[in-house]
Amino acid sequence: QVQFVESGGGLVQAGGSLRLSCTCSGLDLNYYVIGWFRQAPGKERGGVSSISFSSGSAVYATSVKDRFTTSRDKENSTVYLQMNNLKPEDTAVYYCAALRSFVTTTAYLNYKLYRYWGQGTQVTVSS
């Protein structure tokens, strides 16, 4: 059974930082790309980042580039999203998801391509 456990969300002031974690069981992540997505109320789910778990190569949405960094811990089957200089517009529920692929591209910022999903974690940035 595939399971993702997300953690690290919370309330932070603008300019602050949070680190989200996504730990997976039931998949060999070396065959997968892990994406981070977010969804604000009334808005469509949007791509934040995508990382090849085997190589560590990552791509980012333009809106978060230079502020967010995704990385992975192979030993613990965990992917992280380090979010710095947070802005109120970053407020959303953040999800991790898996797509079977060895490599990632900006095309994989499309949530419709992903099969397995975490439950989401709320990030709220106050101004």
Side-chain angles (χ1 to χ4, degrees):
Q1 182 178 355
V2 178
Q3 187 175 21
F4 287 95
V5 177
E6 299 171 13
S7 62
L11 173 64
V12 65
Q13 287 188 332
S17 298
L18 284 173
R19 188 176 81 157
L20 306 183
S21 299
C22 170
T23 300
C24 177
S25 59
L27 288 178
D28 183 348
L29 292 185
N30 289 301
Y31 294 92
Y32 286 84
V33 161
I34 303 299
W36 284 99
F37 300 87
R38 63 187 182 184
Q39 189 166 20
K43 294 189 176 181
E44 188 176 15
R45 192 168 297 189
V48 175
S49 66
S50 177
I51 184 169
S52 164
F53 198 85
S54 58
S55 72
S57 177
V59 296
Y60 298 90
T62 302
S63 59
V64 305
K65 205 168 184 179
D66 299 329
R67 297 190 298 125
F68 291 11
T69 302
T70 186
S71 60
R72 89 288 194 223
D73 177 349
K74 284 196 163 189
E75 186 172 345
N76 293 301
S77 297
T78 298
V79 175
Y80 300 101
L81 183 67
Q82 177 67 42
M83 306 185 294
N84 297 328
N85 190 22
L86 282 159
K87 303 176 181 180
E89 52 263 43
D90 294 319
T91 295
V93 177
Y94 283 70
Y95 301 88
C96 62
L99 163 67
R100 190 174 176 97
S101 175
F102 286 112
V103 298
T104 189
T105 76
T106 53
Y108 289 169
L109 294 176
N110 179 355
Y111 74 93
K112 296 178 182 178
L113 300 175
Y114 287 73
R115 178 176 179 182
Y116 302 105
W117 288 84
Q119 81 285 358
T121 186
Q122 177 71 45
V123 171
T124 303
V125 185
S126 63
S127 57

